[in-house]
Amino acid sequence: MSDLVLQSVSRWYGNVVAVNDVSMDIRPGITGLLGPNGAGKSTLLSMMAGLLAPSAGSVTLDGRPVRGDVGMYRHIGLVPVQEPMYDFLTGEQFVRLNADLHRLPQAEAATKHAVGLVALADAADRKISTYSKGMRQRIKVAAALVHDPAVLLLDEPFNGMDPIQRRSMMSLLNSYAAQGRTIVFSSHILEEVEQLARQVEVVVSGRHAASGDFAAIRRLMTDRPNQYRIRSSDNRLLATLLMREDTVRGVRVNGEKYLEVEADDFGRFATVVAKLARDADVRLFELIPTDESLESVFSYLVGR
């Protein structure tokens, strides 16, 4: 089982709408659920896992509703974002608990295998209270994998992981996806999604803002007007040269300190600036985007 479908799903709490009329068809492979904090990603994942009932619409796995069907839970693994855990248990006991809840016939072997997958065998007999944040994330992944689910849902799984742990976890997820499993992970960090997912679903303020392969989503983001601050050895000369370029929409000189520039395409713009500065013998001291927060990018996508 691996085809996860959300059809016109909404979820509200009193007068607060957390998710509003979202439809997605998630196939095997790795899908990135991308959006700023508070966008509704955790609510969507909880509904995909069957832990939370939609206020409207439906969530199905290969045509079967995931909510209220105990048999369906055996096909789904969830790594929640919430930090509280059973800190008095060891890592191995925590994973074994989930194995027992699923009534696995070979619970002990499955537990050791799952702990090994996340490279925590050496710390398996330590209490979770002694774990770092990255280790806690990894043991949660082990617990979600212990029953060998066809669908794995991860809510901000890389929080607290160092670069080596992150790379190892990405390798693990890629190997599971290669086996034909469906993996959905949420993130508010564009670079995480870029490194792991080819299919991307963008959510903003509970709404489905964009959907497609990563290249298409990236294009939507980078094609929008962007604002930059530039410091150089001759701001006024550089401003004059930039105004002649098609990719530049406007330039404002902020005294002798820096330029404020609005341009269409970052890749093209960066190339243009470098060439102009070199040909005019102008030294570039700083070139930074000033509106590159994910919130500004997502707001642009929603308003398209």
Side-chain angles (χ1 to χ4, degrees):
M1 311 188 79
S2 55
D3 193 0
L4 190 61
V5 177
L6 287 72
Q7 185 64 45
S8 302
V9 169
S10 296
R11 174 71 194 192
W12 51 80
Y13 302 91
N15 294 325
V16 178
V17 178
V19 172
N20 185 18
D21 194 28
V22 171
S23 294
M24 297 178 185
D25 188 350
I26 301 173
R27 306 272 178 169
I30 301 178
T31 296
L33 189 61
L34 181 62
N37 290 325
K41 303 187 298 297
S42 295
T43 300
L44 279 170
L45 286 172
S46 292
M47 289 191 287
M48 291 180 196
L51 296 182
L52 192 64
S55 301
S58 64
V59 182
T60 60
L61 180 57
D62 284 353
R64 290 172 57 184
V66 299
R67 173 72 177 177
D69 185 341
V70 174
M72 293 300 289
Y73 298 150
R74 296 192 175 97
H75 302 285
I76 301 172
L78 173 66
V79 180
V81 71
Q82 287 83 6
E83 184 64 23
M85 298 171 68
Y86 298 115
D87 285 356
F88 57 89
L89 296 178
T90 66
E92 184 170 339
Q93 288 171 338
F94 178 72
V95 178
R96 176 63 185 264
L97 174 62
N98 206 33
D100 289 341
L101 288 172
H102 282 284
R103 299 178 180 175
L104 299 184
Q106 302 292 330
E108 183 176 354
T111 297
K112 291 187 180 300
H113 176 68
V115 172
L117 284 174
V118 298
L120 281 176
D122 291 344
D125 59 351
R126 284 172 46 191
K127 288 188 176 182
I128 292 175
S129 60
T130 69
Y131 281 11
S132 67
K133 186 170 184 178
M135 294 171 71
R136 294 166 77 92
Q137 288 293 96
R138 287 151 62 199
I139 205 66
K140 286 194 292 185
V141 172
L145 290 176
V146 71
H147 60 294
D148 199 28
V151 177
L152 183 60
L153 310 171
L154 307 102
D155 200 352
E156 301 280 356
F158 304 109
N159 281 353
M161 291 189 187
D162 62 36
I164 294 175
Q165 294 170 345
R166 187 171 303 186
R167 189 161 54 247
S168 176
M169 184 58 62
M170 287 184 176
S171 177
L172 175 63
L173 296 180
N174 276 320
S175 70
Y176 263 67
Q179 298 170 19
R181 302 171 200 259
T182 298
I183 297 173
V184 183
F185 79 98
S186 72
S187 179
H188 63 282
I189 301 174
L190 188 60
E191 289 74 18
E192 287 183 353
V193 177
E194 182 174 16
Q195 291 178 48
L196 193 57
R198 293 278 67 84
Q199 178 68 20
V200 179
E201 305 291 343
V202 182
V203 181
V204 187
S205 300
R207 294 173 52 197
H208 197 189
S211 177
D213 63 45
F214 184 84
I217 299 298
R218 187 59 144 156
R219 207 156 38 241
L220 287 174
M221 292 179 174
T222 56
D223 283 350
R224 84 193 218 285
N226 294 273
Q227 297 178 356
Y228 308 93
R229 185 174 67 202
I230 301 176
R231 289 194 305 112
S232 72
S233 59
D234 194 332
N235 290 336
R236 294 186 183 280
L237 173 58
L238 187 58
T240 301
L241 297 173
L242 285 171
M243 285 301 297
R244 299 172 185 170
E245 297 296 325
D246 293 339
T247 190
V248 176
R249 294 192 177 193
V251 180
R252 187 162 75 93
V253 180
N254 193 321
E256 299 299 323
K257 295 180 180 179
Y258 54 83
L259 303 177
E260 294 176 352
V261 183
E262 184 175 288
D264 288 325
D265 184 306
F266 176 73
R268 185 179 163 207
F269 174 68
T271 302
V272 165
V273 171
K275 184 177 186 304
L276 289 176
R278 181 191 62 200
D279 293 347
D281 198 25
V282 174
R283 295 179 62 192
L284 295 175
F285 301 129
E286 181 181 70
L287 168 57
I288 60 172
T290 56
D291 65 342
E292 276 297 282
S293 70
L294 282 179
E295 284 76 5
S296 69
V297 174
F298 294 143
S299 295
Y300 169 75
L301 288 176
V302 171
R304 292 180 78 255

